[in-house]
Amino acid sequence: MRALQVFAPLQKFLPEVEEPSGGKRVQFRDRLLYTLVCLAIFLVCSQLPLYGVKTTSGADPLYWARVIMASSRGTVMELGIGPTVTAGLIIQLLVGSKLLDVDTNVKSDRDLMKTAEHVLGLLITIGQAIVYVMTGMYGEPSEVGAVNGVLIVLQLFIAGVLVLLLDEMLNNGWGLGSAISLFIATNICESIVWKAFSPYTLNVGRGPEFEGAVIALVHFLLSRTDKTKALKDAFYRQGLPNIMQLLATVSIFLMVVYFQGFRVELAIRSKRARGAYGAQTYPIKLFYTSNMPIILQARQPGHMKCLCNLNTARKTEQELACTRLLPSWLSALVSNLYFISQLLFKRYGGNILVQLLGRWSADEYNGQMNPVGGLVYYISPPQSLAAAAANPVHTLFYVAFMLGICAIFSITWIEVSGQSANDVAKQLRDQQFFLAGHRDTVSSLKKELNRYIPTAAAFGGMCIGALTIVADFLGAIGSGTGILLAVTIIYQYWEMYNKEKSQMGGGLFG
Amino acid sequence: MADQETHGSTPMFGIFLLSMYSLFLIPITLWKLSGGSSEDGEVVKTWSTGKGSNGKGKQTSSMVAHLRTVFSNRMLVAWLAWGLVLWYVKHSMGEVESFDPFQILQVSLDASDQEIKKAYRRLSLQYHPDKNPDPKAHQYFATYVAKAYKALTDEVSRENYKKYGHPDGPQAMSVSVALPEWFFSKDKQTAPLILLVLLFGGIVAPLGIAAWYLMGTQKYVGANQVMEETQALFLDSRYGVKASQALGRIPETMVCAMEFIQMPTPPEQGTAMDELRKTVLRLHPDLKDKSMFWKRKTSVLKVHMLLLAHLSRADISPVLAKDLNFVLTKGLPLLQEMLGIAILPRVQPGYGWMTPAVGCIELMQCIVQAVPLSSKKAAHVGKSNESAAALLQLPHFDNEVLRKLARKKVKLLPELQQMSTTERQLLLAGCSLTTDQVEDVETMLSAIPTLWVRAHCVVEAEEVDDDVVMEGDLVTCRVKAILTRPTHAVALFEQDATKGKALLAYAPRLPFPKEEVWYFMFVDPTANASMCIVKQNLMQADVIGARYAASFAHKRSTATADSQTDTAHRSSGASDEASAKLLGPSGTSPFAAKHFEAGSSAEQLGQTFELKFYAPLTAGKYDLQLLCMPDTWVGCDRAIPIKLKVEQRTRSDREGRGRRAALVQRTEESDAYIQGSSAGSAVDSDAGQNEDEEDQNDAYDSDEYGTEESGPEDEEGTHSEDD
């Protein structure tokens, strides 16, 4: 009996979203509508406060992961997409390392895998919710009381189910992309917009200042008599979002968009179709691991559209939804490490091992815990350029760590997730494609692909790492990983829209 | 941060409002100033009436006019509001309590220590409790002056000031929201209310509006923005597009569109409808017995009658003018939709019906120029300029004028086009047309285009093209097109003026401007199959045509002395008139004219584009046609015969090792081709197949599938040369 069969009895208990009847493609406008509804539910959920919470003050142990995990403190979306993503990562790793035997070509197996992911996701949700309540994130457990504690866990569980359903709904062809990427992008964009236009004002002795960088600029220019100093303040003020950070964010945004276009195109030919129809390209992107363009971009004449391929295309799209989130998983791992280290330091601060893992101190400003020593300190980004210069060992270690882990992770990831040269060669071979100008064997295909894919993966991973570092040094809003994710996701939506437009003819407003 | 009591601050709200408002207002103003919304210069008229003259001395006044349009009333009000907010902010902000030691000490930013000390001493004299007994002065001295001095001199304080903005280190932080105070002044009870308002006002409402908008536009789908129900009706077997539906019966389907079915017929249109009925019966007496025509829904019947009346250029009562406008505006996109449905793959993979497709385009032409279908019906696509419809498209032409022209031995449009201007004017005046009317006719004649096409079919394979077409191949037809019009030869015509996005057709009977679009359709007339259709905007071809005309006129003016080279004219007109004639449909093909080709780059030789279609699935010889039809002119269609020989596909071809693969390989390793292919394919192919391949190579004979060239009446062109 296979390990996967364990989940079979659970299949009928889990709520699920049906696919569009008869494999029919839902109209683009409809899908956009469902996506908007999805977004509305998510946004409302991330504003609704949890019932039964006594206090949410004090340091936020998950501060690091908030943006990436699309979670907001003290609200129903406390856990965000964390459990779903983590469950997906675990199952993918298990499948990739052959610990879990899944034949992705069989529908029942795919369904079982989905069930397994969902069950695991819900278990993690419950577990995390209980841990949160017990560790006093919502006030001392005795103060909160048993009833409220259970209620909080229940609320978080329901939110988890909701996220799951929304994600499945979008994935099943009712909406655009996946809910996970939609939520991440929304959250990151929201935080960027908030940091730029926040109407909150803070007074730390210099008089009230706006939190939003742009508003603060206007405010300074209007209220100060010395305009040069006002400008300087608006651009470089410390502790609050400033214009420089905003500019850094924009430039990182543009940089990622620029890198997105980097690709090597291998000319492949189909054995089934001759002529121009048979000649296609297989693009290998620089950001190979962050989003893989497996759907072959067929150069088709205007009126001949392969509608029959849409179903298979959708399948691959779904599978890819997981692989896109590599940076998010990476930061999930790191932030989990932070979380554990923080908890341990609070309890057993004196232990030498715990101190080796990480020492923390509270920030004077907002009580935020910052790592000041140990492993965690060395893998956390320097606070500013000045801090980076002051402690070069830390800086160097951090850079090396980021680049190394990104490259290694990328290379491992393509093996695990079935995007290695081997797998791609097999895939192309199954679809009766061969490389133009090369012999039509798997081995030659593999050899040729091996020249590009691992390099692209490793180098792309390092680029992602480097971009993250640069973004963090410049203090870009929403962290380097966040911006990277947001750009990738938005770019994908843009591509999706363009594809739809070319298929529909008119586009959304045309 | 969240645990602190939040409270509002009205002046801050003003600043917030001001910033957001500026972010909206300033870009919009700049965009308008840069002329972002102006739409002129996008479409180019294809005719020149010679009436309007645009002086260039009006530059400055147009600048003022532009500014005036930008700063329209609404914009001024917007900027006034901006100014008000700014004033309010400036006014209400008052003194912002902030700690700036330089300001307190009244010294400049780069003041030296000495100056600071001096300033401190001066202020001490003023505020020190020893000198000034006022307790307020004392307080001010302690909290500001002393601290400011400290901040600029003491090391620790200066560090603190740099870091936290205050010499005493971090101050107690207070958080507030830049919202009006009354928002927070109420008791705690309002908190949930505010949350609700934020949730619904901030999230649900905007998304709801977006959703509502999307639902609203949902009705219209596709590129042509046609109702979904209409699409279903057009696909219906009873009302929809049928395989053998020619031009005469296309309107039957068109009027069945949901857009038309839903049109209301208010009672005040009753008398107008009766009149319309009479008009239609007078124009089409045969309709009297057709009960099917009259028994339809009132709105459909009305649309059909309006259409017939429009095509016959009959007068329509002003009550119905709005409806007619609607029918014409909606009609063209509907026809495009029908065209799309006609060419849906039906006959064979990728092939649609030819007859309804051609019919749809012809109806478009007829609607644009208001020409009755009966006059159009007779002519074949290739000879469309020989039908009466071609003449009837001219303004003020009707059957009466046609009869008079026939009496003067002018029966076809080309004959009229070939005449010299004076000759034509005399003739038309003889047909009882007034001078103004003749001028209208001239304008139209000068804008009627002539298309010159050269087509060449190949199979694209990697970097090389293959002239041999096999079963089911994707064939690429490369088309080069040049568009000429008599306007090009007119001296007034600036060839560089054609910079817009689209050409505007001369359509006086249409209540709205219509862009000229050309359809290129590959058809197999014997099988009623349309193999491929491409919609093209021949802007570039037009520019090239104009350049060609200019170079031709130049050549001619240098060679007028030598009368023997004067070939293409019968009368001894002026040189530009002769070239105007040349640009009409009877001239020589620009492709044939050698003097044009010499020394001009490839792109100058015509606008190039590609048509792609699948070759028939069975081998054999096919007589195909490339139909070139504008959607705006009657009688400018072209049918270019193209012979296609389809080869049978061998097994080695099917497996990707045949001739085509060899061809690809040849480009890569041209010399070592034979050795390379035999060595490379040793694994998969045996000698027998290699032989097979050789045989095929011998059998190929692609001589007759070279370039097909066409100008209309090429024979006629050479004929006139002989004269």
Side-chain angles (χ1 to χ4, degrees), chain A residues 27 29-30 32-33 36-37 39-41 43-45 47-49 56-57 197-211 214-215 218-219 221-229 238 267-269 271-277 279 299-301 303-304 364-366 434 436-441 504-510, chain B residues 1 3 6 12-13 15-16 18-20 23 86 89-90 93 96-100 103 109 161 163-166 170-178 195 199 203-204 207 210-211 213-215 217-218 220-223 225 228 350 459-462 469-470 473-474 531-533 612-614 649 653-656 660 664 668 680 683-684:
Chain A
Q27 267 217 350
R29 271 160 222 265
D30 280 331
L32 201 70
L33 204 71
L36 279 181
V37 169
L39 200 62
I41 293 173
L43 286 174
V44 168
C45 279
Q47 293 298 325
L48 269 186
T56 51
S57 63
F197 303 113
S198 160
Y200 273 78
T201 57
L202 282 90
N203 193 344
V204 285
R206 282 179 290 199
E209 276 180 45
F210 274 97
E211 192 190 355
V214 176
I215 313 272
V218 175
H219 175 218
L221 281 179
L222 280 178
S223 63
R224 304 259 171 101
T225 38
D226 185 355
K227 302 296 179 200
T228 357
K229 187 150 184 306
Q238 292 289 311
I268 55 172
R269 301 188 57 76
K271 276 187 277 181
R272 282 182 293 203
R274 290 189 332 139
Y277 186 48
R299 272 194 277 138
Q300 287 168 5
H303 69 291
M304 301 163 197
E364 295 148 276
Y365 259 130
N366 40 18
F434 62 96
H438 289 272
R439 277 164 59 191
D440 180 20
T441 55
M504 297 287 292
L508 187 50
F509 307 105
Chain B
M1 273 187 239
D3 54 332
T6 51
M12 290 308 230
F13 178 63
I15 291 177
F16 177 67
L18 181 73
S19 336
M20 296 311 264
L23 276 176
L86 184 67
V89 166
K90 276 273 183 200
M93 202 156 45
V96 177
E97 195 190 315
S98 75
F99 187 86
D100 184 357
Q103 208 184 337
L109 275 176
Y161 171 65
K163 220 167 169 181
Y164 306 106
H166 204 273
Q171 299 278 298
M173 191 174 64
S174 64
V175 180
S176 56
V177 187
L195 183 77
L199 281 189
I203 299 166
V204 178
L207 286 172
Y213 171 75
L214 283 174
M215 284 309 240
T217 52
Q218 181 96 45
Y220 301 102
V221 293
Q225 292 296 292
E228 234 170 315
V459 177
E460 266 182 358
E462 212 61 28
V469 177
M470 289 189 226
D473 257 348
L474 182 72
M531 304 161 90
C532 160
I533 189 161
K612 289 188 174 176
F613 60 95
Y614 285 113
R649 183 175 276 216
D653 279 318
R654 273 195 294 278
E655 288 178 1
R660 199 62 47 81
V664 171
E668 289 189 353
V683 191
D684 332 72

Side-chain angles (χ1 to χ4, degrees), chain B residues 94-157:
Chain B
E95 278 303 299
V96 177
E97 195 190 315
S98 75
F99 187 86
D100 184 357
F102 295 102
Q103 208 184 337
I104 292 166
L105 293 180
Q106 292 160 9
V107 289
S108 60
L109 275 176
D110 48 356
S112 65
D113 281 1
Q114 290 232 313
E115 279 172 326
I116 291 170
K117 250 179 210 162
K118 220 176 178 179
Y120 175 65
R121 231 168 260 143
R122 183 167 45 81
L123 286 174
S124 303
L125 286 177
Q126 205 178 336
Y127 291 110
H128 198 275
D130 295 352
K131 305 277 174 198
N132 197 335
D134 191 355
K136 267 187 191 164
H138 178 204
Q139 203 184 347
Y140 179 77
F141 182 78
T143 47
Y144 288 98
V145 180
K147 281 214 175 104
Y149 178 65
K150 218 175 149 196
L152 294 181
T153 49
D154 185 62
E155 200 56 45
V156 180
S157 301

Side-chain angles (χ1 to χ4, degrees), chain A residues 83-93 117 120-121 124 322 329 413:
Chain A
T84 320
V85 171
T86 316
L89 172 70
I90 291 172
I91 295 289
Q92 280 281 333
L93 281 175
E117 260 173 45
L120 198 63
I124 293 175
C322 301
W329 281 338
W413 185 250

Side-chain angles (χ1 to χ4, degrees), chain B residues 370-478:
Chain B
V371 171
L373 301 183
S374 50
S375 65
K376 175 90 179 110
K377 245 188 234 170
H380 177 251
V381 174
K383 310 231 162 142
S384 59
N385 55 1
E386 290 172 16
S387 72
L391 275 178
L392 277 176
Q393 72 176 317
L394 295 170
H396 316 296
F397 270 48
D398 51 23
N399 287 325
E400 191 60 31
V401 176
L402 241 55
R403 217 169 296 137
K404 283 178 184 160
L405 275 176
R407 230 173 279 147
K408 289 173 182 161
K409 299 278 184 290
V410 177
K411 280 180 183 158
L412 302 175
L413 180 66
E415 292 171 358
L416 203 62
Q417 282 173 309
Q418 276 163 30
M419 286 178 198
S420 72
T421 320
T422 43
E423 206 178 329
R424 191 160 51 215
Q425 270 164 356
L426 270 174
L427 176 77
L428 292 178
C431 297
S432 64
L433 287 174
T434 64
T435 337
D436 277 352
Q437 287 174 335
V438 170
E439 196 168 318
D440 284 347
V441 174
E442 282 295 327
T443 311
M444 176 119 180
L445 277 174
S446 72
I448 291 180
T450 313
L451 181 73
W452 309 90
V453 183
R454 178 187 268 188
H456 181 52
C457 283
V458 289
V459 177
E460 266 182 358
E462 212 61 28
E463 284 111 19
V464 285
D465 292 337
D466 194 348
D467 283 334
V468 179
V469 177
M470 289 189 226
E471 300 162 346
D473 257 348
L474 182 72
V475 184
T476 307
C477 180
R478 302 231 169 88

